[in-house]
Amino acid sequence: MSGHSKWANIQHRKGRQDAKRSNLWTKLVREIIVAARMGGGEPESNSRLRLALIKARAGNVPKDTIQNAILKGTGQLEGVSYEEVRYEGYGIGGAALIIDCTTDNRVRTVADVRHLLSKNGGNLGTEGSVSFQFKHIGDFYFAPGVVTEDQAMEVALEAGADDVISDPDDGSIEVTCAPEMFDAVSKAFEAAGLQPEVAEITWKPLNETHLEGDDAAKMQRLIDALEELDDVQQVYTSAEYDLPEE
C-alpha cells in the first residue's frame, strides 16, 4: 500500500462504515436477537451476545432497545424471526467477498445482494467459491503506542492466542486467535487493563488483492452499496487499497 499505513486504513474504513450506515442500529439489534436466540440471554455465558452488546453500546443503542432485542431472541417477546445466511462472490479485479446477512426472507436478500453485485461490477458465486481464501479468526488491534509487543504477548499467549504481530511501519499491534478462544483472550486483555481498538471475530484473507485508482473507488462503492442493505451484517473482502481523504 502507499499513502496510508495498515492501521490508518483500518481506522478510516471503520469510521466510514459507522458514518455511512444509517441503518447501523438495525444491524446491531439484529445481531443481539440472533446471538440471544443461539446462546441464551445471559452475556456472561454467551460470548457472542456479550460482543454484540459491547458494539451496541458503542453505537449508542438505547438500553430499552437492547433489552427488548434480548427478550425477542430468547422468545420472551414476540418479534421477527431472523436467520443467518452467507453469500460468497467477487468484486472488482476478482477480489473475493464474503457477505454475512441476517434475514427474515432469503429470497429477497439473495435478490438484493445479486442485484447490487451485478450493478457495481461484481458477481455472486456459489457456496465455498471464495471462503477457502479466508481464515476465520478472532482479531484484536491495538492503536500505536497503547501497548508494547511484549505486553500484548505476555497476556495474549497465556490466554490462548495464536499470534502477536507488530506493524513495523506504524507500531500498531495485532493479536489473532482461534474463534473459540476469542472470549478467553478478550477477558484476559480486560483483566490486564488493556483495551484494543478493534476486537472482533472476522474472516481474514489469506492473500490480498491490491487495487488502485478507479478500481479501488469502484470496490469501495460496491462495499458501500452492500453495507447499506439492512439485511447485510458484515462484508469481508480480500481487496486492499488506500482510501482517499474526505
Side-chain angles (χ1 to χ4, degrees):
M1 291 186 302
S2 61
H4 288 115
S5 68
K6 185 89 168 182
W7 175 250
N9 273 269
I10 289 169
Q11 288 295 91
H12 198 172
R13 287 175 187 171
K14 183 175 183 293
R16 184 186 182 96
Q17 288 170 347
D18 291 346
K20 288 182 176 295
R21 287 185 183 179
S22 58
N23 51 5
L24 179 62
W25 280 15
T26 299
K27 298 175 187 290
L28 294 171
V29 167
R30 285 192 185 188
E31 173 61 16
I32 293 170
I33 292 172
V34 172
R37 189 189 76 228
M38 294 183 66
E42 296 297 330
E44 294 79 10
S45 57
N46 184 344
S47 59
R48 179 171 174 177
L49 177 60
R50 184 161 56 251
L51 181 59
L53 295 179
I54 290 171
K55 290 181 177 180
R57 290 167 185 144
N60 298 313
V61 179
K63 290 182 180 179
D64 288 348
T65 303
I66 290 173
Q67 186 59 34
N68 285 340
I70 294 173
L71 294 175
K72 288 175 182 177
T74 56
Q76 295 169 268
L77 275 182
E78 288 189 12
V80 176
S81 179
Y82 294 107
E83 62 175 322
E84 294 180 293
V85 60
R86 174 171 295 139
Y87 301 109
E88 301 177 34
Y90 302 90
I92 309 303
L97 288 164
I98 292 178
I99 306 158
D100 279 350
C101 303
T102 57
T103 180
D104 60 342
N105 186 327
R106 278 179 176 245
V107 175
R108 178 196 67 226
T109 302
V110 71
D112 288 346
V113 169
R114 182 184 287 111
H115 170 72
L116 284 180
L117 285 169
S118 178
K119 181 180 177 181
N120 291 277
N123 62 280
L124 191 64
T126 57
E127 183 178 353
S129 59
V130 304
S131 56
F132 69 93
Q133 300 180 43
F134 294 79
K135 185 176 182 180
H136 199 209
I137 62 168
D139 206 19
F140 302 83
Y141 267 99
F142 290 89
V146 170
V147 63
T148 67
E149 185 176 3
D150 287 343
Q151 287 174 318
M153 191 173 295
E154 181 179 357
V155 175
L157 298 185
E158 180 69 23
D162 293 329
D163 205 0
V164 178
I165 307 155
S166 177
D167 191 308
D169 295 323
D170 58 35
S172 62
I173 303 289
E174 180 185 15
V175 177
T176 63
C177 66
E180 60 269 20
M181 297 306 298
F182 178 86
D183 197 39
V185 176
S186 181
K187 287 180 176 178
F189 282 140
E190 184 178 351
L194 302 178
Q195 180 62 50
E197 185 77 11
V198 176
E200 60 187 359
I201 296 176
T202 187
W203 288 91
K204 186 172 184 177
L206 299 175
N207 294 289
E208 294 173 341
T209 304
H210 294 279
L211 302 175
E212 297 180 355
D214 287 345
D215 283 347
K218 289 176 182 177
M219 189 67 186
Q220 186 60 61
R221 283 196 295 271
L222 170 57
I223 292 174
D224 283 347
L226 288 168
E227 289 179 340
E228 284 298 320
L229 285 177
D230 284 349
D231 291 347
V232 172
Q233 287 294 106
Q234 188 68 49
V235 179
Y236 308 98
T237 181
S238 65
E240 187 59 54
Y241 49 89
D242 282 343
L243 289 167
E245 296 292 345
E246 296 178 348

